[in-house]
Amino acid sequence: TCDTGDQQTTAAVQLKEAAATIVEGLKDVATYEGEDAVFECRLSRETAQDAQWFLGDVPLQSNEMNEIRVQGTRHSLILRKVTLEDCGSVSFKVGQHSSAA
């Protein structure tokens, strides 16, 4: 606001948050049945609210079989005690960016 006494004008500042990008993509994992499979992805910034993990086309959530962690810019997925049915594509998506292994 600029106020000269008899006149006043006001303006506003608006910022758009830069979209997060994937700076370190997923790598293929080979493990034995019954062991855990760990996937990691690193983003360009910390606050990526729209990040999502998938096994095939199925969106994943943290539960007793899948652990999803976020530590700063590093996002990780742990598939617990994998079985042969878990074989396939794992993908991570944030905004319009994705990585698969």
Side-chain angles (χ1 to χ4, degrees), residues 55-78:
L55 181 56
D57 292 331
V58 178
L60 299 176
Q61 297 180 359
S62 274
N63 57 36
E64 64 278 351
M65 298 306 294
N66 313 309
E67 183 179 344
I68 295 173
R69 294 181 186 169
V70 178
Q71 296 173 315
T73 60
R74 187 163 303 280
H75 291 245
S76 58
L77 167 68
I78 303 169

PDB file of all heavy atoms in Angstrom, residues 55-78:
ATOM      1  N   LEU A  55       1.959 -49.904  -8.167  1.00  0.00           N
ATOM      2  CA  LEU A  55       2.437 -51.240  -8.540  1.00  0.00           C
ATOM      3  C   LEU A  55       1.550 -51.650  -9.702  1.00  0.00           C
ATOM      4  O   LEU A  55       0.352 -51.867  -9.528  1.00  0.00           O
ATOM      5  CB  LEU A  55       2.315 -52.221  -7.374  1.00  0.00           C
ATOM      6  CG  LEU A  55       2.802 -53.652  -7.651  1.00  0.00           C
ATOM      7  CD1 LEU A  55       4.253 -53.673  -8.129  1.00  0.00           C
ATOM      8  CD2 LEU A  55       2.628 -54.531  -6.431  1.00  0.00           C
ATOM      9  N   GLY A  56       2.143 -51.688 -10.907  1.00  0.00           N
ATOM     10  CA  GLY A  56       1.328 -51.813 -12.111  1.00  0.00           C
ATOM     11  C   GLY A  56       0.503 -50.549 -12.230  1.00  0.00           C
ATOM     12  O   GLY A  56       1.020 -49.447 -12.184  1.00  0.00           O
ATOM     13  N   ASP A  57      -0.811 -50.705 -12.327  1.00  0.00           N
ATOM     14  CA  ASP A  57      -1.713 -49.548 -12.404  1.00  0.00           C
ATOM     15  C   ASP A  57      -2.396 -49.261 -11.069  1.00  0.00           C
ATOM     16  O   ASP A  57      -3.237 -48.374 -10.984  1.00  0.00           O
ATOM     17  CB  ASP A  57      -2.799 -49.795 -13.461  1.00  0.00           C
ATOM     18  CG  ASP A  57      -2.228 -49.834 -14.867  1.00  0.00           C
ATOM     19  OD1 ASP A  57      -1.209 -49.164 -15.106  1.00  0.00           O
ATOM     20  OD2 ASP A  57      -2.798 -50.544 -15.726  1.00  0.00           O
ATOM     21  N   VAL A  58      -2.027 -50.019 -10.033  1.00  0.00           N
ATOM     22  CA  VAL A  58      -2.702 -49.906  -8.741  1.00  0.00           C
ATOM     23  C   VAL A  58      -1.987 -48.888  -7.850  1.00  0.00           C
ATOM     24  O   VAL A  58      -0.797 -49.051  -7.544  1.00  0.00           O
ATOM     25  CB  VAL A  58      -2.748 -51.277  -8.029  1.00  0.00           C
ATOM     26  CG1 VAL A  58      -3.405 -51.157  -6.668  1.00  0.00           C
ATOM     27  CG2 VAL A  58      -3.454 -52.307  -8.897  1.00  0.00           C
ATOM     28  N   PRO A  59      -2.677 -47.814  -7.420  1.00  0.00           N
ATOM     29  CA  PRO A  59      -2.061 -46.853  -6.499  1.00  0.00           C
ATOM     30  C   PRO A  59      -1.802 -47.513  -5.145  1.00  0.00           C
ATOM     31  O   PRO A  59      -2.620 -48.301  -4.662  1.00  0.00           O
ATOM     32  CB  PRO A  59      -3.099 -45.742  -6.359  1.00  0.00           C
ATOM     33  CG  PRO A  59      -4.233 -46.078  -7.250  1.00  0.00           C
ATOM     34  CD  PRO A  59      -4.032 -47.443  -7.793  1.00  0.00           C
ATOM     35  N   LEU A  60      -0.661 -47.214  -4.550  1.00  0.00           N
ATOM     36  CA  LEU A  60      -0.282 -47.824  -3.267  1.00  0.00           C
ATOM     37  C   LEU A  60      -0.430 -46.831  -2.125  1.00  0.00           C
ATOM     38  O   LEU A  60      -0.255 -45.629  -2.302  1.00  0.00           O
ATOM     39  CB  LEU A  60       1.166 -48.310  -3.328  1.00  0.00           C
ATOM     40  CG  LEU A  60       1.467 -49.377  -4.379  1.00  0.00           C
ATOM     41  CD1 LEU A  60       2.952 -49.696  -4.387  1.00  0.00           C
ATOM     42  CD2 LEU A  60       0.645 -50.634  -4.131  1.00  0.00           C
ATOM     43  N   GLN A  61      -0.726 -47.369  -0.951  1.00  0.00           N
ATOM     44  CA  GLN A  61      -0.777 -46.596   0.282  1.00  0.00           C
ATOM     45  C   GLN A  61       0.022 -47.355   1.320  1.00  0.00           C
ATOM     46  O   GLN A  61       0.210 -48.560   1.213  1.00  0.00           O
ATOM     47  CB  GLN A  61      -2.224 -46.435   0.763  1.00  0.00           C
ATOM     48  CG  GLN A  61      -3.093 -45.657  -0.189  1.00  0.00           C
ATOM     49  CD  GLN A  61      -4.516 -45.525   0.333  1.00  0.00           C
ATOM     50  OE1 GLN A  61      -4.863 -46.026   1.382  1.00  0.00           O
ATOM     51  NE2 GLN A  61      -5.347 -44.838  -0.431  1.00  0.00           N
ATOM     52  N   SER A  62       0.473 -46.648   2.355  1.00  0.00           N
ATOM     53  CA  SER A  62       1.186 -47.317   3.445  1.00  0.00           C
ATOM     54  C   SER A  62       0.217 -48.234   4.182  1.00  0.00           C
ATOM     55  O   SER A  62      -0.877 -47.825   4.550  1.00  0.00           O
ATOM     56  CB  SER A  62       1.761 -46.296   4.431  1.00  0.00           C
ATOM     57  OG  SER A  62       3.015 -45.853   3.997  1.00  0.00           O
ATOM     58  N   ASN A  63       0.637 -49.473   4.365  1.00  0.00           N
ATOM     59  CA  ASN A  63      -0.117 -50.445   5.147  1.00  0.00           C
ATOM     60  C   ASN A  63       0.859 -51.531   5.601  1.00  0.00           C
ATOM     61  O   ASN A  63       2.075 -51.324   5.531  1.00  0.00           O
ATOM     62  CB  ASN A  63      -1.305 -51.013   4.345  1.00  0.00           C
ATOM     63  CG  ASN A  63      -0.882 -51.650   3.031  1.00  0.00           C
ATOM     64  OD1 ASN A  63       0.174 -52.265   2.934  1.00  0.00           O
ATOM     65  ND2 ASN A  63      -1.717 -51.498   2.016  1.00  0.00           N
ATOM     66  N   GLU A  64       0.369 -52.679   6.015  1.00  0.00           N
ATOM     67  CA  GLU A  64       1.272 -53.717   6.524  1.00  0.00           C
ATOM     68  C   GLU A  64       2.148 -54.333   5.435  1.00  0.00           C
ATOM     69  O   GLU A  64       3.194 -54.898   5.720  1.00  0.00           O
ATOM     70  CB  GLU A  64       0.480 -54.814   7.248  1.00  0.00           C
ATOM     71  CG  GLU A  64      -0.471 -55.609   6.376  1.00  0.00           C
ATOM     72  CD  GLU A  64      -1.809 -54.911   6.135  1.00  0.00           C
ATOM     73  OE1 GLU A  64      -2.089 -53.885   6.781  1.00  0.00           O
ATOM     74  OE2 GLU A  64      -2.560 -55.381   5.270  1.00  0.00           O
ATOM     75  N   MET A  65       1.760 -54.174   4.163  1.00  0.00           N
ATOM     76  CA  MET A  65       2.545 -54.740   3.060  1.00  0.00           C
ATOM     77  C   MET A  65       3.403 -53.709   2.330  1.00  0.00           C
ATOM     78  O   MET A  65       4.381 -54.060   1.684  1.00  0.00           O
ATOM     79  CB  MET A  65       1.614 -55.427   2.042  1.00  0.00           C
ATOM     80  CG  MET A  65       0.843 -56.598   2.627  1.00  0.00           C
ATOM     81  SD  MET A  65       1.891 -57.843   3.408  1.00  0.00           S
ATOM     82  CE  MET A  65       2.777 -58.483   2.010  1.00  0.00           C
ATOM     83  N   ASN A  66       3.040 -52.449   2.406  1.00  0.00           N
ATOM     84  CA  ASN A  66       3.762 -51.378   1.706  1.00  0.00           C
ATOM     85  C   ASN A  66       4.072 -50.266   2.686  1.00  0.00           C
ATOM     86  O   ASN A  66       3.170 -49.784   3.348  1.00  0.00           O
ATOM     87  CB  ASN A  66       2.912 -50.765   0.583  1.00  0.00           C
ATOM     88  CG  ASN A  66       2.253 -51.802  -0.280  1.00  0.00           C
ATOM     89  OD1 ASN A  66       2.889 -52.708  -0.765  1.00  0.00           O
ATOM     90  ND2 ASN A  66       0.953 -51.673  -0.468  1.00  0.00           N
ATOM     91  N   GLU A  67       5.329 -49.866   2.733  1.00  0.00           N
ATOM     92  CA  GLU A  67       5.687 -48.722   3.577  1.00  0.00           C
ATOM     93  C   GLU A  67       6.156 -47.593   2.679  1.00  0.00           C
ATOM     94  O   GLU A  67       7.093 -47.757   1.898  1.00  0.00           O
ATOM     95  CB  GLU A  67       6.780 -49.097   4.561  1.00  0.00           C
ATOM     96  CG  GLU A  67       7.125 -47.963   5.498  1.00  0.00           C
ATOM     97  CD  GLU A  67       8.194 -48.324   6.511  1.00  0.00           C
ATOM     98  OE1 GLU A  67       8.476 -49.520   6.702  1.00  0.00           O
ATOM     99  OE2 GLU A  67       8.754 -47.390   7.090  1.00  0.00           O
ATOM    100  N   ILE A  68       5.482 -46.452   2.773  1.00  0.00           N
ATOM    101  CA  ILE A  68       5.842 -45.278   1.989  1.00  0.00           C
ATOM    102  C   ILE A  68       6.443 -44.262   2.944  1.00  0.00           C
ATOM    103  O   ILE A  68       5.833 -43.914   3.947  1.00  0.00           O
ATOM    104  CB  ILE A  68       4.610 -44.710   1.263  1.00  0.00           C
ATOM    105  CG1 ILE A  68       4.124 -45.730   0.244  1.00  0.00           C
ATOM    106  CG2 ILE A  68       4.944 -43.374   0.602  1.00  0.00           C
ATOM    107  CD1 ILE A  68       2.819 -45.363  -0.428  1.00  0.00           C
ATOM    108  N   ARG A  69       7.658 -43.799   2.615  1.00  0.00           N
ATOM    109  CA  ARG A  69       8.363 -42.831   3.463  1.00  0.00           C
ATOM    110  C   ARG A  69       8.712 -41.596   2.658  1.00  0.00           C
ATOM    111  O   ARG A  69       8.998 -41.677   1.475  1.00  0.00           O
ATOM    112  CB  ARG A  69       9.677 -43.421   3.986  1.00  0.00           C
ATOM    113  CG  ARG A  69       9.536 -44.570   4.931  1.00  0.00           C
ATOM    114  CD  ARG A  69      10.910 -45.010   5.371  1.00  0.00           C
ATOM    115  NE  ARG A  69      10.859 -46.207   6.192  1.00  0.00           N
ATOM    116  CZ  ARG A  69      11.918 -46.910   6.537  1.00  0.00           C
ATOM    117  NH1 ARG A  69      13.118 -46.539   6.107  1.00  0.00           N
ATOM    118  NH2 ARG A  69      11.795 -47.972   7.292  1.00  0.00           N
ATOM    119  N   VAL A  70       8.732 -40.460   3.361  1.00  0.00           N
ATOM    120  CA  VAL A  70       9.199 -39.210   2.765  1.00  0.00           C
ATOM    121  C   VAL A  70      10.176 -38.602   3.753  1.00  0.00           C
ATOM    122  O   VAL A  70       9.828 -38.344   4.906  1.00  0.00           O
ATOM    123  CB  VAL A  70       8.042 -38.230   2.493  1.00  0.00           C
ATOM    124  CG1 VAL A  70       8.574 -36.935   1.912  1.00  0.00           C
ATOM    125  CG2 VAL A  70       7.007 -38.860   1.578  1.00  0.00           C
ATOM    126  N   GLN A  71      11.417 -38.415   3.321  1.00  0.00           N
ATOM    127  CA  GLN A  71      12.449 -37.777   4.137  1.00  0.00           C
ATOM    128  C   GLN A  71      13.055 -36.666   3.305  1.00  0.00           C
ATOM    129  O   GLN A  71      13.914 -36.907   2.463  1.00  0.00           O
ATOM    130  CB  GLN A  71      13.510 -38.799   4.563  1.00  0.00           C
ATOM    131  CG  GLN A  71      12.948 -39.894   5.460  1.00  0.00           C
ATOM    132  CD  GLN A  71      13.966 -40.982   5.738  1.00  0.00           C
ATOM    133  OE1 GLN A  71      14.653 -41.454   4.843  1.00  0.00           O
ATOM    134  NE2 GLN A  71      14.051 -41.379   6.997  1.00  0.00           N
ATOM    135  N   GLY A  72      12.569 -35.451   3.523  1.00  0.00           N
ATOM    136  CA  GLY A  72      13.038 -34.323   2.725  1.00  0.00           C
ATOM    137  C   GLY A  72      12.599 -34.484   1.280  1.00  0.00           C
ATOM    138  O   GLY A  72      11.413 -34.618   0.994  1.00  0.00           O
ATOM    139  N   THR A  73      13.564 -34.521   0.374  1.00  0.00           N
ATOM    140  CA  THR A  73      13.243 -34.677  -1.043  1.00  0.00           C
ATOM    141  C   THR A  73      13.240 -36.144  -1.471  1.00  0.00           C
ATOM    142  O   THR A  73      12.909 -36.448  -2.608  1.00  0.00           O
ATOM    143  CB  THR A  73      14.263 -33.921  -1.916  1.00  0.00           C
ATOM    144  OG1 THR A  73      15.566 -34.445  -1.674  1.00  0.00           O
ATOM    145  CG2 THR A  73      14.230 -32.427  -1.633  1.00  0.00           C
ATOM    146  N   ARG A  74      13.613 -37.039  -0.572  1.00  0.00           N
ATOM    147  CA  ARG A  74      13.693 -38.466  -0.903  1.00  0.00           C
ATOM    148  C   ARG A  74      12.393 -39.178  -0.542  1.00  0.00           C
ATOM    149  O   ARG A  74      11.945 -39.146   0.588  1.00  0.00           O
ATOM    150  CB  ARG A  74      14.867 -39.128  -0.181  1.00  0.00           C
ATOM    151  CG  ARG A  74      15.091 -40.563  -0.624  1.00  0.00           C
ATOM    152  CD  ARG A  74      16.455 -41.080  -0.250  1.00  0.00           C
ATOM    153  NE  ARG A  74      17.542 -40.285  -0.769  1.00  0.00           N
ATOM    154  CZ  ARG A  74      18.018 -40.340  -2.011  1.00  0.00           C
ATOM    155  NH1 ARG A  74      17.477 -41.157  -2.885  1.00  0.00           N
ATOM    156  NH2 ARG A  74      19.017 -39.576  -2.385  1.00  0.00           N
ATOM    157  N   HIS A  75      11.809 -39.822  -1.559  1.00  0.00           N
ATOM    158  CA  HIS A  75      10.595 -40.619  -1.382  1.00  0.00           C
ATOM    159  C   HIS A  75      10.975 -42.080  -1.561  1.00  0.00           C
ATOM    160  O   HIS A  75      11.682 -42.423  -2.511  1.00  0.00           O
ATOM    161  CB  HIS A  75       9.545 -40.230  -2.420  1.00  0.00           C
ATOM    162  CG  HIS A  75       8.978 -38.866  -2.200  1.00  0.00           C
ATOM    163  ND1 HIS A  75       7.664 -38.655  -1.881  1.00  0.00           N
ATOM    164  CD2 HIS A  75       9.552 -37.637  -2.242  1.00  0.00           C
ATOM    165  CE1 HIS A  75       7.447 -37.370  -1.736  1.00  0.00           C
ATOM    166  NE2 HIS A  75       8.579 -36.722  -1.955  1.00  0.00           N
ATOM    167  N   SER A  76      10.521 -42.940  -0.660  1.00  0.00           N
ATOM    168  CA  SER A  76      10.855 -44.353  -0.779  1.00  0.00           C
ATOM    169  C   SER A  76       9.625 -45.223  -0.577  1.00  0.00           C
ATOM    170  O   SER A  76       8.679 -44.848   0.117  1.00  0.00           O
ATOM    171  CB  SER A  76      11.962 -44.749   0.203  1.00  0.00           C
ATOM    172  OG  SER A  76      11.581 -44.472   1.525  1.00  0.00           O
ATOM    173  N   LEU A  77       9.666 -46.377  -1.221  1.00  0.00           N
ATOM    174  CA  LEU A  77       8.627 -47.385  -1.130  1.00  0.00           C
ATOM    175  C   LEU A  77       9.300 -48.684  -0.740  1.00  0.00           C
ATOM    176  O   LEU A  77      10.267 -49.099  -1.380  1.00  0.00           O
ATOM    177  CB  LEU A  77       7.908 -47.548  -2.476  1.00  0.00           C
ATOM    178  CG  LEU A  77       7.010 -48.780  -2.608  1.00  0.00           C
ATOM    179  CD1 LEU A  77       5.789 -48.659  -1.692  1.00  0.00           C
ATOM    180  CD2 LEU A  77       6.580 -48.977  -4.053  1.00  0.00           C
ATOM    181  N   ILE A  78       8.788 -49.326   0.308  1.00  0.00           N
ATOM    182  CA  ILE A  78       9.278 -50.642   0.711  1.00  0.00           C
ATOM    183  C   ILE A  78       8.129 -51.624   0.532  1.00  0.00           C
ATOM    184  O   ILE A  78       7.086 -51.491   1.178  1.00  0.00           O
ATOM    185  CB  ILE A  78       9.762 -50.655   2.174  1.00  0.00           C
ATOM    186  CG1 ILE A  78      10.855 -49.615   2.378  1.00  0.00           C
ATOM    187  CG2 ILE A  78      10.245 -52.051   2.564  1.00  0.00           C
ATOM    188  CD1 ILE A  78      11.219 -49.369   3.827  1.00  0.00           C
TER     189      ILE A  78
END
